[in-house]
Amino acid sequence: MNIKSSIEKIPGGMMVVPLVLGALINTFAPEALQIGGFTTALFKNGAATLIGAFLLCMGAGISVKAAPSALLQGGTITLSKLVVAIALGLLVDYLFGANGFLGLTGLAIIAAMSNSNGGLYAALVGEFGNERDVGAISILSLNDGPFFTMIALGAAGMANIPLMAMVAVLVPIIVGMILGNLDPKMKEFLTKGGPLLIPFFAFALGTGINLEMLIQGGLAGVLLGILTTFVGGWFNIRADKLVGGSGIAGAAASSTAGNAVATPMAIATADPSLAVLAQATAPLIAASVITTAILTPFLTSWVAKSNAKKQAEQAMPEESA
C-alpha cells in the first residue's frame, strides 16, 4: 500500500489527513483516546509538546542572519490580519448593525480573522516554507488569543499583553537556533526531525475539534471561514510579499485559532452587555476554525505550486540562452 504517496497527493496532506482523522474520532468516539497511558499522552494531549519539539527542530535551521527578516515578516502579517479584521468587522457592524449579515456579526469577523492557528501555521511552513517563514511564528503567536480582538473593540485596557506567550514560543526556537548555529551536524540532525513530527501533532490538534460545531455554526460559520482564508489570505499574502517573503507564510497564517472560540466570552466578561451576542458568536467561530483548518492548507499549497511554476518559467529562458 502506498499510504504516504496517497496522503501527499492531498494539498498539505500530512497535516490535513491526520487532523481530519483526529476530528472524526473526537466527534464520534471521544472516549477512544481517553484510555490513559502513552495513548492519551501522545494522541490526545500531546499537541503542545509535539509542536514545541517541532519548533526546536525547525529553529535549528534558522541562521542568525535570517532572524531579523523573520521578525519583520511575522509582524507585517500580524498587522495585516488585524487591520483587515477590524475593517471588515466594523464595516459589517456599520452597515447591518449588531445582528450582522446573514447571522455573520462584526464581533465574529474580528474574533475569527484577527488571529491564526499556530499549530497549522507551523505545519504548513514546515512543509512548504523556509527558515524565515518558520521564524515568523515568534511574532504571529501574539495574535493567538483575545488581546488584539479586544483592542479592535476598544477594550484593550481590560486585557494583559501576552508577553510570556511570545516568550514561551520563542524559547524552543532559540534553543534550536543556538544548537544549529554552533554545530552544522546538529543542524542537519534536528532539521530532519521537524517534518516527522507534523502528522503526530496534527492528529492531536484534530482531537480537539468537534465537527458538530460546524453544523451549529451553519452557513454563516462556513462563510466566516471562507472569508478568513481567502479574503484575509489575499491581504496576508500581499503583506508577506511586500517584505520580501514568498507568500507562503501569509497563506499559512490565514486561519482561525481554536482558542478563538473562547474570545467572545472573554470580551463579554469585559463588557457584560455583549453576553448574548457573544454566546451566539461562539458556534460561528468554531465553524470557522474547522473550515479554515481544511481550506488554509489548500491555499498554502496553491501558493507554493504557483511560486514553483514561476521559478521554472523564469529558469527556462536562461537555460535556452
mmCIF file of all heavy atoms in Angstrom, residues 56 62 71 121 231 271:
data_model
loop_
_atom_site.group_PDB
_atom_site.id
_atom_site.type_symbol
_atom_site.label_atom_id
_atom_site.label_comp_id
_atom_site.label_asym_id
_atom_site.label_seq_id
_atom_site.Cartn_x
_atom_site.Cartn_y
_atom_site.Cartn_z
ATOM 1 N N LEU A 56 11.659 23.518 17.938
ATOM 2 C CA LEU A 56 13.090 23.387 18.243
ATOM 3 C C LEU A 56 13.843 22.826 17.034
ATOM 4 O O LEU A 56 14.896 23.342 16.652
ATOM 5 C CB LEU A 56 13.283 22.490 19.467
ATOM 6 C CG LEU A 56 14.701 22.460 20.058
ATOM 7 C CD1 LEU A 56 14.636 22.175 21.563
ATOM 8 C CD2 LEU A 56 15.585 21.417 19.382
ATOM 9 N N ILE A 62 17.378 27.841 11.304
ATOM 10 C CA ILE A 62 17.346 29.296 11.158
ATOM 11 C C ILE A 62 18.731 29.871 11.445
ATOM 12 O O ILE A 62 19.243 29.744 12.558
ATOM 13 C CB ILE A 62 16.311 29.930 12.114
ATOM 14 C CG1 ILE A 62 14.917 29.357 11.849
ATOM 15 C CG2 ILE A 62 16.294 31.455 11.952
ATOM 16 C CD1 ILE A 62 13.868 29.838 12.850
ATOM 17 N N LEU A 71 11.345 38.257 11.932
ATOM 18 C CA LEU A 71 10.554 39.103 12.835
ATOM 19 C C LEU A 71 9.759 40.143 12.047
ATOM 20 O O LEU A 71 8.596 40.415 12.347
ATOM 21 C CB LEU A 71 11.474 39.790 13.852
ATOM 22 C CG LEU A 71 12.225 38.870 14.821
ATOM 23 C CD1 LEU A 71 13.154 39.674 15.721
ATOM 24 C CD2 LEU A 71 11.236 38.073 15.669
ATOM 25 N N TYR A 121 -0.109 26.723 11.173
ATOM 26 C CA TYR A 121 0.918 27.539 10.519
ATOM 27 C C TYR A 121 2.273 26.831 10.553
ATOM 28 O O TYR A 121 2.966 26.741 9.536
ATOM 29 C CB TYR A 121 1.028 28.898 11.216
ATOM 30 C CG TYR A 121 2.145 29.758 10.662
ATOM 31 C CD1 TYR A 121 1.931 30.578 9.564
ATOM 32 C CD2 TYR A 121 3.423 29.731 11.232
ATOM 33 C CE1 TYR A 121 2.964 31.339 9.036
ATOM 34 C CE2 TYR A 121 4.452 30.487 10.714
ATOM 35 C CZ TYR A 121 4.214 31.303 9.622
ATOM 36 O OH TYR A 121 5.240 32.048 9.099
ATOM 37 N N VAL A 231 -10.265 35.886 1.695
ATOM 38 C CA VAL A 231 -10.222 37.353 1.693
ATOM 39 C C VAL A 231 -9.064 37.837 2.569
ATOM 40 O O VAL A 231 -8.195 38.589 2.128
ATOM 41 C CB VAL A 231 -11.555 37.955 2.187
ATOM 42 C CG1 VAL A 231 -11.449 39.483 2.258
ATOM 43 C CG2 VAL A 231 -12.694 37.556 1.258
ATOM 44 N N ASP A 271 -17.220 43.284 28.942
ATOM 45 C CA ASP A 271 -18.392 44.109 28.665
ATOM 46 C C ASP A 271 -19.634 43.223 28.709
ATOM 47 O O ASP A 271 -20.028 42.629 27.698
ATOM 48 C CB ASP A 271 -18.259 44.769 27.292
ATOM 49 C CG ASP A 271 -19.406 45.739 26.992
ATOM 50 O OD1 ASP A 271 -20.341 45.837 27.821
ATOM 51 O OD2 ASP A 271 -19.367 46.398 25.941
#
